[in-house]
Amino acid sequence: MAPLTASDDRPALRRELRRRRRTLDARAQRLASMALVHQLMQLSSLRYARHVALYLPERGEIDPTPLIDWLHQRGTRVYLPVLRPLVENRLWFVHWRPDTRMVLNRFRITEPDLRQSGHRIRRLPPWAMDVVLMPLVGFDAQGHRLGMGGGFYDRTLAFASKTCGPRPTLIGVAHNCQQVEQLPHQPWDVNLDMIVSDRQVLRPHPATS
C-alpha cells in the first residue's frame, strides 16, 4: 500500500482512503469495531464521562456503536450529531435512546428525528459535552486529521481550539488503514486530543488520557 503524503490534494486523499476502508469485508469491519471499542474503554476520559457524542457509521466508517451499551451501563448519556436546521454546516448533539425515532437527512445519513427529539431539553451545547467521538477519513502520526469535507465538525467545535473555558475531549476514530504518512493541516482544522484506531491510540497532547 503506497504511502500518501501532503503532496496529494485533499480530494484525492479522500477518494483513496475511502476506497481503503471499503475494501474491508464484514468480518474485518466487525473485528475492527471490537478492537476500537476495547481501546476506547481503557480511556479515563470515557470512563468518567457523563455526556458522550458518537456517530452511526456510514460507507465503511469504523463502528463505535458497540460502546453504547457500556456507556448506558455506566449511566452515561449518549448523543448523536444532527444537521442543525437553518444554520449551514453545523451540528446539534441530540440525546439518543433506544426509542428515538430516526430519519434520513439530506445526505442520506441516519439521524434522530428533530420532530421528536429536537427540543432544547434533548440537546446539549457542544461545550457541555464531556467527549465527542468524530469519524475520520484519514489521520497521521502527528495527530492531523482529514474529515469528510463538509466542515461540520470544524465549524461546530471551532471554539474548542480558542477558549480556555469548558470543552469536550475530542477523539477522532478510524480504521488503522486510514493512517497516512503526512497530512496537510489547515488553520481551521479542529485540533484533536487523541486519535484512536483498532490498533493504537495517538496522543498529540500527552497529558490527555
Side-chain angles (χ1 to χ4, degrees):
M1 185 180 295
L4 299 178
T5 69
S7 61
D8 299 278
D9 60 61
R10 287 193 165 206
L13 281 167
R14 288 192 180 94
R15 286 193 297 271
E16 169 59 19
L17 292 170
R18 285 171 173 155
R19 185 198 64 78
R20 286 185 186 183
R21 71 188 187 195
R22 284 196 305 268
T23 64
L24 299 172
D25 61 22
R27 181 176 182 275
Q29 286 277 2
R30 185 172 61 255
L31 292 175
S33 174
M34 292 170 57
L36 171 76
V37 169
H38 176 75
Q39 300 265 33
L40 292 171
M41 288 191 300
Q42 312 308 309
L43 302 176
S44 60
S45 52
L46 274 167
R47 291 200 302 270
Y48 296 107
R50 288 294 170 260
H51 302 279
V52 173
L54 46 76
Y55 63 91
L56 303 181
E58 296 281 343
R59 304 178 184 91
E61 291 173 338
I62 199 165
D63 184 1
T65 59
L67 192 68
I68 291 175
D69 285 345
W70 180 79
L71 291 170
H72 281 166
Q73 290 168 12
R74 302 178 71 84
T76 303
R77 290 167 67 95
V78 173
Y79 297 76
L80 293 177
V82 177
L83 298 184
R84 185 172 172 177
L86 307 179
V87 179
E88 186 177 3
N89 289 24
R90 282 177 172 80
L91 300 170
W92 274 341
F93 294 113
V94 173
H95 180 216
W96 179 90
R97 301 182 306 203
D99 63 347
T100 300
R101 185 185 302 119
M102 307 297 286
V103 296
L104 292 177
N105 64 27
R106 67 178 184 269
F107 298 113
R108 311 297 294 173
I109 295 174
T110 304
E111 66 179 22
D113 185 353
L114 289 180
R115 291 174 296 179
Q116 177 201 43
S117 56
H119 302 293
R120 186 178 298 274
I121 195 172
R122 296 289 299 275
R123 306 194 310 263
L124 199 67
W127 60 264
M129 300 298 303
D130 294 314
V131 175
V132 176
L133 299 180
M134 303 165 53
L136 305 180
V137 175
F139 66 95
D140 63 21
Q142 292 73 46
H144 299 145
R145 58 180 282 272
L146 184 68
M148 276 79 76
F152 289 91
Y153 282 97
D154 287 315
R155 289 181 175 87
T156 303
L157 300 170
F159 71 93
S161 300
K162 303 174 183 177
T163 182
C164 296
R167 65 179 294 277
T169 298
L170 303 180
I171 304 176
V173 298
H175 292 285
N176 202 65
C177 67
Q178 293 172 247
Q179 183 172 358
V180 302
E181 184 177 325
Q182 186 181 7
L183 278 175
H185 183 67
Q186 302 295 340
W188 56 82
D189 288 342
V190 170
N191 294 320
L192 300 177
D193 297 294
M194 68 185 78
I195 295 173
V196 181
S197 76
D198 47 306
R199 297 186 185 177
Q200 62 180 323
V201 176
L202 294 174
R203 293 181 172 87
H205 308 290
T208 304
S209 63

PDB file of all heavy atoms in Angstrom, residues 24-41 55 57 60-68 173-176 196-199:
ATOM      1  N   LEU A  24     -12.598  -3.414   3.204  1.00  0.00           N
ATOM      2  CA  LEU A  24     -12.745  -4.252   4.390  1.00  0.00           C
ATOM      3  C   LEU A  24     -14.078  -4.983   4.336  1.00  0.00           C
ATOM      4  O   LEU A  24     -15.138  -4.353   4.208  1.00  0.00           O
ATOM      5  CB  LEU A  24     -12.661  -3.394   5.657  1.00  0.00           C
ATOM      6  CG  LEU A  24     -11.352  -2.630   5.863  1.00  0.00           C
ATOM      7  CD1 LEU A  24     -11.483  -1.680   7.040  1.00  0.00           C
ATOM      8  CD2 LEU A  24     -10.191  -3.594   6.064  1.00  0.00           C
ATOM      9  N   ASP A  25     -14.041  -6.309   4.440  1.00  0.00           N
ATOM     10  CA  ASP A  25     -15.292  -7.067   4.403  1.00  0.00           C
ATOM     11  C   ASP A  25     -15.983  -6.999   5.760  1.00  0.00           C
ATOM     12  O   ASP A  25     -15.482  -6.392   6.722  1.00  0.00           O
ATOM     13  CB  ASP A  25     -15.043  -8.512   3.970  1.00  0.00           C
ATOM     14  CG  ASP A  25     -14.116  -9.281   4.910  1.00  0.00           C
ATOM     15  OD1 ASP A  25     -13.982  -8.881   6.083  1.00  0.00           O
ATOM     16  OD2 ASP A  25     -13.545 -10.296   4.461  1.00  0.00           O
ATOM     17  N   ALA A  26     -17.155  -7.631   5.850  1.00  0.00           N
ATOM     18  CA  ALA A  26     -17.974  -7.527   7.062  1.00  0.00           C
ATOM     19  C   ALA A  26     -17.238  -8.062   8.282  1.00  0.00           C
ATOM     20  O   ALA A  26     -17.319  -7.477   9.375  1.00  0.00           O
ATOM     21  CB  ALA A  26     -19.292  -8.271   6.861  1.00  0.00           C
ATOM     22  N   ARG A  27     -16.508  -9.151   8.127  1.00  0.00           N
ATOM     23  CA  ARG A  27     -15.781  -9.718   9.269  1.00  0.00           C
ATOM     24  C   ARG A  27     -14.679  -8.770   9.730  1.00  0.00           C
ATOM     25  O   ARG A  27     -14.500  -8.536  10.935  1.00  0.00           O
ATOM     26  CB  ARG A  27     -15.187 -11.073   8.903  1.00  0.00           C
ATOM     27  CG  ARG A  27     -14.425 -11.733  10.052  1.00  0.00           C
ATOM     28  CD  ARG A  27     -13.931 -13.126   9.665  1.00  0.00           C
ATOM     29  NE  ARG A  27     -13.243 -13.761  10.788  1.00  0.00           N
ATOM     30  CZ  ARG A  27     -11.956 -13.588  11.083  1.00  0.00           C
ATOM     31  NH1 ARG A  27     -11.206 -12.782  10.319  1.00  0.00           N
ATOM     32  NH2 ARG A  27     -11.418 -14.201  12.116  1.00  0.00           N
ATOM     33  N   ALA A  28     -13.929  -8.212   8.779  1.00  0.00           N
ATOM     34  CA  ALA A  28     -12.868  -7.269   9.129  1.00  0.00           C
ATOM     35  C   ALA A  28     -13.442  -6.030   9.811  1.00  0.00           C
ATOM     36  O   ALA A  28     -12.862  -5.509  10.779  1.00  0.00           O
ATOM     37  CB  ALA A  28     -12.073  -6.886   7.888  1.00  0.00           C
ATOM     38  N   GLN A  29     -14.589  -5.554   9.325  1.00  0.00           N
ATOM     39  CA  GLN A  29     -15.235  -4.404   9.955  1.00  0.00           C
ATOM     40  C   GLN A  29     -15.645  -4.728  11.391  1.00  0.00           C
ATOM     41  O   GLN A  29     -15.455  -3.920  12.308  1.00  0.00           O
ATOM     42  CB  GLN A  29     -16.476  -3.997   9.142  1.00  0.00           C
ATOM     43  CG  GLN A  29     -16.179  -3.286   7.840  1.00  0.00           C
ATOM     44  CD  GLN A  29     -15.922  -1.796   8.037  1.00  0.00           C
ATOM     45  OE1 GLN A  29     -15.928  -1.286   9.156  1.00  0.00           O
ATOM     46  NE2 GLN A  29     -15.702  -1.084   6.948  1.00  0.00           N
ATOM     47  N   ARG A  30     -16.205  -5.897  11.583  1.00  0.00           N
ATOM     48  CA  ARG A  30     -16.667  -6.291  12.918  1.00  0.00           C
ATOM     49  C   ARG A  30     -15.499  -6.415  13.893  1.00  0.00           C
ATOM     50  O   ARG A  30     -15.560  -5.935  15.035  1.00  0.00           O
ATOM     51  CB  ARG A  30     -17.436  -7.602  12.828  1.00  0.00           C
ATOM     52  CG  ARG A  30     -18.065  -8.052  14.147  1.00  0.00           C
ATOM     53  CD  ARG A  30     -18.975  -9.244  13.940  1.00  0.00           C
ATOM     54  NE  ARG A  30     -18.273 -10.409  13.419  1.00  0.00           N
ATOM     55  CZ  ARG A  30     -18.334 -10.846  12.163  1.00  0.00           C
ATOM     56  NH1 ARG A  30     -19.075 -10.202  11.283  1.00  0.00           N
ATOM     57  NH2 ARG A  30     -17.669 -11.921  11.778  1.00  0.00           N
ATOM     58  N   LEU A  31     -14.406  -7.046  13.456  1.00  0.00           N
ATOM     59  CA  LEU A  31     -13.230  -7.193  14.316  1.00  0.00           C
ATOM     60  C   LEU A  31     -12.607  -5.836  14.631  1.00  0.00           C
ATOM     61  O   LEU A  31     -12.164  -5.590  15.761  1.00  0.00           O
ATOM     62  CB  LEU A  31     -12.212  -8.113  13.649  1.00  0.00           C
ATOM     63  CG  LEU A  31     -12.617  -9.592  13.527  1.00  0.00           C
ATOM     64  CD1 LEU A  31     -11.573 -10.366  12.734  1.00  0.00           C
ATOM     65  CD2 LEU A  31     -12.822 -10.214  14.902  1.00  0.00           C
ATOM     66  N   ALA A  32     -12.561  -4.960  13.633  1.00  0.00           N
ATOM     67  CA  ALA A  32     -12.003  -3.620  13.856  1.00  0.00           C
ATOM     68  C   ALA A  32     -12.847  -2.848  14.860  1.00  0.00           C
ATOM     69  O   ALA A  32     -12.315  -2.155  15.743  1.00  0.00           O
ATOM     70  CB  ALA A  32     -11.914  -2.864  12.539  1.00  0.00           C
ATOM     71  N   SER A  33     -14.169  -2.982  14.764  1.00  0.00           N
ATOM     72  CA  SER A  33     -15.065  -2.301  15.693  1.00  0.00           C
ATOM     73  C   SER A  33     -14.841  -2.795  17.119  1.00  0.00           C
ATOM     74  O   SER A  33     -14.756  -1.992  18.067  1.00  0.00           O
ATOM     75  CB  SER A  33     -16.515  -2.536  15.269  1.00  0.00           C
ATOM     76  OG  SER A  33     -17.419  -2.006  16.220  1.00  0.00           O
ATOM     77  N   MET A  34     -14.721  -4.107  17.287  1.00  0.00           N
ATOM     78  CA  MET A  34     -14.489  -4.665  18.616  1.00  0.00           C
ATOM     79  C   MET A  34     -13.161  -4.181  19.195  1.00  0.00           C
ATOM     80  O   MET A  34     -13.067  -3.829  20.375  1.00  0.00           O
ATOM     81  CB  MET A  34     -14.526  -6.190  18.540  1.00  0.00           C
ATOM     82  CG  MET A  34     -15.891  -6.762  18.219  1.00  0.00           C
ATOM     83  SD  MET A  34     -15.826  -8.538  17.844  1.00  0.00           S
ATOM     84  CE  MET A  34     -15.079  -9.183  19.345  1.00  0.00           C
ATOM     85  N   ALA A  35     -12.137  -4.133  18.350  1.00  0.00           N
ATOM     86  CA  ALA A  35     -10.822  -3.677  18.816  1.00  0.00           C
ATOM     87  C   ALA A  35     -10.853  -2.195  19.167  1.00  0.00           C
ATOM     88  O   ALA A  35     -10.240  -1.756  20.157  1.00  0.00           O
ATOM     89  CB  ALA A  35      -9.769  -3.963  17.747  1.00  0.00           C
ATOM     90  N   LEU A  36     -11.548  -1.405  18.357  1.00  0.00           N
ATOM     91  CA  LEU A  36     -11.680   0.025  18.640  1.00  0.00           C
ATOM     92  C   LEU A  36     -12.347   0.242  19.989  1.00  0.00           C
ATOM     93  O   LEU A  36     -11.861   1.024  20.828  1.00  0.00           O
ATOM     94  CB  LEU A  36     -12.504   0.706  17.544  1.00  0.00           C
ATOM     95  CG  LEU A  36     -12.896   2.163  17.846  1.00  0.00           C
ATOM     96  CD1 LEU A  36     -11.707   3.078  17.655  1.00  0.00           C
ATOM     97  CD2 LEU A  36     -14.079   2.607  16.994  1.00  0.00           C
ATOM     98  N   VAL A  37     -13.465  -0.434  20.208  1.00  0.00           N
ATOM     99  CA  VAL A  37     -14.214  -0.250  21.453  1.00  0.00           C
ATOM    100  C   VAL A  37     -13.365  -0.676  22.656  1.00  0.00           C
ATOM    101  O   VAL A  37     -13.393  -0.026  23.706  1.00  0.00           O
ATOM    102  CB  VAL A  37     -15.548  -1.010  21.384  1.00  0.00           C
ATOM    103  CG1 VAL A  37     -16.230  -1.063  22.749  1.00  0.00           C
ATOM    104  CG2 VAL A  37     -16.469  -0.342  20.362  1.00  0.00           C
ATOM    105  N   HIS A  38     -12.601  -1.731  22.511  1.00  0.00           N
ATOM    106  CA  HIS A  38     -11.705  -2.144  23.595  1.00  0.00           C
ATOM    107  C   HIS A  38     -10.712  -1.033  23.922  1.00  0.00           C
ATOM    108  O   HIS A  38     -10.444  -0.750  25.104  1.00  0.00           O
ATOM    109  CB  HIS A  38     -10.959  -3.414  23.204  1.00  0.00           C
ATOM    110  CG  HIS A  38      -9.950  -3.855  24.221  1.00  0.00           C
ATOM    111  ND1 HIS A  38     -10.304  -4.463  25.413  1.00  0.00           N
ATOM    112  CD2 HIS A  38      -8.591  -3.743  24.252  1.00  0.00           C
ATOM    113  CE1 HIS A  38      -9.219  -4.710  26.116  1.00  0.00           C
ATOM    114  NE2 HIS A  38      -8.167  -4.293  25.446  1.00  0.00           N
ATOM    115  N   GLN A  39     -10.160  -0.398  22.899  1.00  0.00           N
ATOM    116  CA  GLN A  39      -9.231   0.719  23.125  1.00  0.00           C
ATOM    117  C   GLN A  39      -9.936   1.869  23.848  1.00  0.00           C
ATOM    118  O   GLN A  39      -9.394   2.471  24.782  1.00  0.00           O
ATOM    119  CB  GLN A  39      -8.685   1.230  21.786  1.00  0.00           C
ATOM    120  CG  GLN A  39      -7.916   0.199  20.976  1.00  0.00           C
ATOM    121  CD  GLN A  39      -6.415   0.280  21.228  1.00  0.00           C
ATOM    122  OE1 GLN A  39      -5.979   0.604  22.322  1.00  0.00           O
ATOM    123  NE2 GLN A  39      -5.651  -0.043  20.216  1.00  0.00           N
ATOM    124  N   LEU A  40     -11.146   2.180  23.396  1.00  0.00           N
ATOM    125  CA  LEU A  40     -11.861   3.318  23.962  1.00  0.00           C
ATOM    126  C   LEU A  40     -12.223   3.090  25.427  1.00  0.00           C
ATOM    127  O   LEU A  40     -12.176   4.021  26.239  1.00  0.00           O
ATOM    128  CB  LEU A  40     -13.132   3.598  23.143  1.00  0.00           C
ATOM    129  CG  LEU A  40     -12.914   4.113  21.722  1.00  0.00           C
ATOM    130  CD1 LEU A  40     -14.227   4.135  20.953  1.00  0.00           C
ATOM    131  CD2 LEU A  40     -12.288   5.511  21.733  1.00  0.00           C
ATOM    132  N   MET A  41     -12.573   1.867  25.778  1.00  0.00           N
ATOM    133  CA  MET A  41     -12.995   1.588  27.148  1.00  0.00           C
ATOM    134  C   MET A  41     -11.857   1.720  28.153  1.00  0.00           C
ATOM    135  O   MET A  41     -12.095   1.774  29.357  1.00  0.00           O
ATOM    136  CB  MET A  41     -13.624   0.197  27.232  1.00  0.00           C
ATOM    137  CG  MET A  41     -14.990   0.121  26.570  1.00  0.00           C
ATOM    138  SD  MET A  41     -15.890  -1.434  26.939  1.00  0.00           S
ATOM    139  CE  MET A  41     -14.763  -2.661  26.275  1.00  0.00           C
ATOM    140  N   TYR A  55     -21.272   8.593  16.667  1.00  0.00           N
ATOM    141  CA  TYR A  55     -21.925   8.686  15.358  1.00  0.00           C
ATOM    142  C   TYR A  55     -22.327   7.293  14.913  1.00  0.00           C
ATOM    143  O   TYR A  55     -21.816   6.277  15.402  1.00  0.00           O
ATOM    144  CB  TYR A  55     -20.974   9.324  14.330  1.00  0.00           C
ATOM    145  CG  TYR A  55     -19.735   8.479  14.088  1.00  0.00           C
ATOM    146  CD1 TYR A  55     -19.710   7.519  13.073  1.00  0.00           C
ATOM    147  CD2 TYR A  55     -18.609   8.607  14.894  1.00  0.00           C
ATOM    148  CE1 TYR A  55     -18.585   6.710  12.876  1.00  0.00           C
ATOM    149  CE2 TYR A  55     -17.494   7.809  14.710  1.00  0.00           C
ATOM    150  CZ  TYR A  55     -17.492   6.868  13.698  1.00  0.00           C
ATOM    151  OH  TYR A  55     -16.393   6.060  13.518  1.00  0.00           O
ATOM    152  N   PRO A  57     -22.111   4.698  11.892  1.00  0.00           N
ATOM    153  CA  PRO A  57     -21.153   4.573  10.782  1.00  0.00           C
ATOM    154  C   PRO A  57     -21.854   4.534   9.426  1.00  0.00           C
ATOM    155  O   PRO A  57     -22.936   3.966   9.273  1.00  0.00           O
ATOM    156  CB  PRO A  57     -20.443   3.252  11.078  1.00  0.00           C
ATOM    157  CG  PRO A  57     -21.436   2.456  11.857  1.00  0.00           C
ATOM    158  CD  PRO A  57     -22.176   3.454  12.700  1.00  0.00           C
ATOM    159  N   GLY A  60     -18.498   2.414   5.315  1.00  0.00           N
ATOM    160  CA  GLY A  60     -17.254   1.788   5.733  1.00  0.00           C
ATOM    161  C   GLY A  60     -16.558   2.429   6.912  1.00  0.00           C
ATOM    162  O   GLY A  60     -15.467   1.989   7.298  1.00  0.00           O
ATOM    163  N   GLU A  61     -17.132   3.490   7.501  1.00  0.00           N
ATOM    164  CA  GLU A  61     -16.529   4.093   8.694  1.00  0.00           C
ATOM    165  C   GLU A  61     -16.461   3.048   9.812  1.00  0.00           C
ATOM    166  O   GLU A  61     -17.324   2.177   9.931  1.00  0.00           O
ATOM    167  CB  GLU A  61     -17.368   5.286   9.170  1.00  0.00           C
ATOM    168  CG  GLU A  61     -17.328   6.471   8.236  1.00  0.00           C
ATOM    169  CD  GLU A  61     -18.298   7.566   8.634  1.00  0.00           C
ATOM    170  OE1 GLU A  61     -19.273   7.276   9.359  1.00  0.00           O
ATOM    171  OE2 GLU A  61     -18.089   8.713   8.223  1.00  0.00           O
ATOM    172  N   ILE A  62     -15.443   3.148  10.635  1.00  0.00           N
ATOM    173  CA  ILE A  62     -15.339   2.232  11.767  1.00  0.00           C
ATOM    174  C   ILE A  62     -16.506   2.470  12.718  1.00  0.00           C
ATOM    175  O   ILE A  62     -16.943   3.607  12.917  1.00  0.00           O
ATOM    176  CB  ILE A  62     -13.968   2.385  12.474  1.00  0.00           C
ATOM    177  CG1 ILE A  62     -13.674   1.157  13.336  1.00  0.00           C
ATOM    178  CG2 ILE A  62     -13.883   3.688  13.249  1.00  0.00           C
ATOM    179  CD1 ILE A  62     -12.228   1.048  13.774  1.00  0.00           C
ATOM    180  N   ASP A  63     -17.010   1.394  13.288  1.00  0.00           N
ATOM    181  CA  ASP A  63     -18.275   1.423  14.030  1.00  0.00           C
ATOM    182  C   ASP A  63     -18.029   1.556  15.539  1.00  0.00           C
ATOM    183  O   ASP A  63     -17.541   0.622  16.173  1.00  0.00           O
ATOM    184  CB  ASP A  63     -19.039   0.129  13.735  1.00  0.00           C
ATOM    185  CG  ASP A  63     -20.413   0.098  14.378  1.00  0.00           C
ATOM    186  OD1 ASP A  63     -20.785   1.097  15.040  1.00  0.00           O
ATOM    187  OD2 ASP A  63     -21.112  -0.922  14.224  1.00  0.00           O
ATOM    188  N   PRO A  64     -18.399   2.701  16.140  1.00  0.00           N
ATOM    189  CA  PRO A  64     -18.237   2.853  17.586  1.00  0.00           C
ATOM    190  C   PRO A  64     -19.472   2.445  18.386  1.00  0.00           C
ATOM    191  O   PRO A  64     -19.459   2.523  19.616  1.00  0.00           O
ATOM    192  CB  PRO A  64     -17.989   4.363  17.733  1.00  0.00           C
ATOM    193  CG  PRO A  64     -18.873   4.951  16.671  1.00  0.00           C
ATOM    194  CD  PRO A  64     -18.875   3.957  15.525  1.00  0.00           C
ATOM    195  N   THR A  65     -20.550   2.027  17.718  1.00  0.00           N
ATOM    196  CA  THR A  65     -21.821   1.845  18.423  1.00  0.00           C
ATOM    197  C   THR A  65     -21.826   0.700  19.437  1.00  0.00           C
ATOM    198  O   THR A  65     -22.651   0.744  20.368  1.00  0.00           O
ATOM    199  CB  THR A  65     -22.985   1.672  17.435  1.00  0.00           C
ATOM    200  OG1 THR A  65     -22.750   0.529  16.586  1.00  0.00           O
ATOM    201  CG2 THR A  65     -23.139   2.918  16.561  1.00  0.00           C
ATOM    202  N   PRO A  66     -20.953  -0.344  19.342  1.00  0.00           N
ATOM    203  CA  PRO A  66     -20.929  -1.314  20.437  1.00  0.00           C
ATOM    204  C   PRO A  66     -20.552  -0.698  21.783  1.00  0.00           C
ATOM    205  O   PRO A  66     -20.737  -1.332  22.823  1.00  0.00           O
ATOM    206  CB  PRO A  66     -19.879  -2.337  19.976  1.00  0.00           C
ATOM    207  CG  PRO A  66     -19.935  -2.276  18.496  1.00  0.00           C
ATOM    208  CD  PRO A  66     -20.148  -0.808  18.196  1.00  0.00           C
ATOM    209  N   LEU A  67     -20.039   0.527  21.767  1.00  0.00           N
ATOM    210  CA  LEU A  67     -19.714   1.223  23.010  1.00  0.00           C
ATOM    211  C   LEU A  67     -20.970   1.670  23.759  1.00  0.00           C
ATOM    212  O   LEU A  67     -20.923   1.924  24.963  1.00  0.00           O
ATOM    213  CB  LEU A  67     -18.846   2.448  22.687  1.00  0.00           C
ATOM    214  CG  LEU A  67     -18.146   3.176  23.826  1.00  0.00           C
ATOM    215  CD1 LEU A  67     -17.054   2.309  24.434  1.00  0.00           C
ATOM    216  CD2 LEU A  67     -17.543   4.490  23.294  1.00  0.00           C
ATOM    217  N   ILE A  68     -22.113   1.752  23.076  1.00  0.00           N
ATOM    218  CA  ILE A  68     -23.305   2.368  23.655  1.00  0.00           C
ATOM    219  C   ILE A  68     -23.784   1.619  24.894  1.00  0.00           C
ATOM    220  O   ILE A  68     -24.105   2.235  25.925  1.00  0.00           O
ATOM    221  CB  ILE A  68     -24.418   2.477  22.594  1.00  0.00           C
ATOM    222  CG1 ILE A  68     -24.029   3.525  21.533  1.00  0.00           C
ATOM    223  CG2 ILE A  68     -25.748   2.851  23.243  1.00  0.00           C
ATOM    224  CD1 ILE A  68     -25.010   3.633  20.377  1.00  0.00           C
ATOM    225  N   VAL A 173     -11.741   8.849  15.501  1.00  0.00           N
ATOM    226  CA  VAL A 173     -11.655   7.390  15.398  1.00  0.00           C
ATOM    227  C   VAL A 173     -11.663   6.980  13.931  1.00  0.00           C
ATOM    228  O   VAL A 173     -12.332   7.594  13.093  1.00  0.00           O
ATOM    229  CB  VAL A 173     -12.783   6.683  16.179  1.00  0.00           C
ATOM    230  CG1 VAL A 173     -12.684   6.993  17.663  1.00  0.00           C
ATOM    231  CG2 VAL A 173     -14.153   7.081  15.666  1.00  0.00           C
ATOM    232  N   ALA A 174     -10.905   5.905  13.629  1.00  0.00           N
ATOM    233  CA  ALA A 174     -10.775   5.456  12.241  1.00  0.00           C
ATOM    234  C   ALA A 174     -10.172   4.065  12.212  1.00  0.00           C
ATOM    235  O   ALA A 174      -9.619   3.583  13.204  1.00  0.00           O
ATOM    236  CB  ALA A 174      -9.882   6.424  11.453  1.00  0.00           C
ATOM    237  N   HIS A 175     -10.280   3.423  11.064  1.00  0.00           N
ATOM    238  CA  HIS A 175      -9.531   2.193  10.827  1.00  0.00           C
ATOM    239  C   HIS A 175      -8.045   2.520  10.753  1.00  0.00           C
ATOM    240  O   HIS A 175      -7.648   3.585  10.252  1.00  0.00           O
ATOM    241  CB  HIS A 175      -9.963   1.555   9.497  1.00  0.00           C
ATOM    242  CG  HIS A 175     -11.361   1.034   9.502  1.00  0.00           C
ATOM    243  ND1 HIS A 175     -11.730  -0.123  10.140  1.00  0.00           N
ATOM    244  CD2 HIS A 175     -12.489   1.513   8.909  1.00  0.00           C
ATOM    245  CE1 HIS A 175     -13.022  -0.346   9.952  1.00  0.00           C
ATOM    246  NE2 HIS A 175     -13.502   0.630   9.224  1.00  0.00           N
ATOM    247  N   ASN A 176      -7.218   1.600  11.215  1.00  0.00           N
ATOM    248  CA  ASN A 176      -5.782   1.847  11.170  1.00  0.00           C
ATOM    249  C   ASN A 176      -5.277   2.020   9.745  1.00  0.00           C
ATOM    250  O   ASN A 176      -4.299   2.736   9.506  1.00  0.00           O
ATOM    251  CB  ASN A 176      -5.025   0.705  11.852  1.00  0.00           C
ATOM    252  CG  ASN A 176      -3.649   1.124  12.319  1.00  0.00           C
ATOM    253  OD1 ASN A 176      -3.518   1.979  13.195  1.00  0.00           O
ATOM    254  ND2 ASN A 176      -2.608   0.561  11.727  1.00  0.00           N
ATOM    255  N   VAL A 196      -7.903   7.415  17.945  1.00  0.00           N
ATOM    256  CA  VAL A 196      -7.952   6.011  18.322  1.00  0.00           C
ATOM    257  C   VAL A 196      -8.366   5.201  17.104  1.00  0.00           C
ATOM    258  O   VAL A 196      -9.356   5.520  16.435  1.00  0.00           O
ATOM    259  CB  VAL A 196      -8.943   5.772  19.483  1.00  0.00           C
ATOM    260  CG1 VAL A 196      -8.952   4.297  19.889  1.00  0.00           C
ATOM    261  CG2 VAL A 196      -8.604   6.658  20.674  1.00  0.00           C
ATOM    262  N   SER A 197      -7.585   4.167  16.811  1.00  0.00           N
ATOM    263  CA  SER A 197      -7.927   3.232  15.746  1.00  0.00           C
ATOM    264  C   SER A 197      -8.095   1.846  16.352  1.00  0.00           C
ATOM    265  O   SER A 197      -8.040   1.685  17.577  1.00  0.00           O
ATOM    266  CB  SER A 197      -6.841   3.210  14.663  1.00  0.00           C
ATOM    267  OG  SER A 197      -5.705   2.484  15.109  1.00  0.00           O
ATOM    268  N   ASP A 198      -8.296   0.858  15.518  1.00  0.00           N
ATOM    269  CA  ASP A 198      -8.416  -0.508  16.017  1.00  0.00           C
ATOM    270  C   ASP A 198      -7.085  -1.055  16.510  1.00  0.00           C
ATOM    271  O   ASP A 198      -7.057  -2.119  17.149  1.00  0.00           O
ATOM    272  CB  ASP A 198      -8.996  -1.424  14.928  1.00  0.00           C
ATOM    273  CG  ASP A 198      -8.310  -1.227  13.582  1.00  0.00           C
ATOM    274  OD1 ASP A 198      -8.251  -0.082  13.119  1.00  0.00           O
ATOM    275  OD2 ASP A 198      -7.849  -2.219  12.986  1.00  0.00           O
ATOM    276  N   ARG A 199      -5.976  -0.323  16.297  1.00  0.00           N
ATOM    277  CA  ARG A 199      -4.660  -0.839  16.685  1.00  0.00           C
ATOM    278  C   ARG A 199      -3.864   0.065  17.603  1.00  0.00           C
ATOM    279  O   ARG A 199      -2.856  -0.370  18.169  1.00  0.00           O
ATOM    280  CB  ARG A 199      -3.822  -1.132  15.435  1.00  0.00           C
ATOM    281  CG  ARG A 199      -4.404  -2.213  14.548  1.00  0.00           C
ATOM    282  CD  ARG A 199      -3.451  -2.533  13.416  1.00  0.00           C
ATOM    283  NE  ARG A 199      -4.036  -3.485  12.467  1.00  0.00           N
ATOM    284  CZ  ARG A 199      -3.436  -3.898  11.355  1.00  0.00           C
ATOM    285  NH1 ARG A 199      -2.221  -3.438  11.054  1.00  0.00           N
ATOM    286  NH2 ARG A 199      -4.039  -4.741  10.549  1.00  0.00           N
TER     287      ARG A 199
END
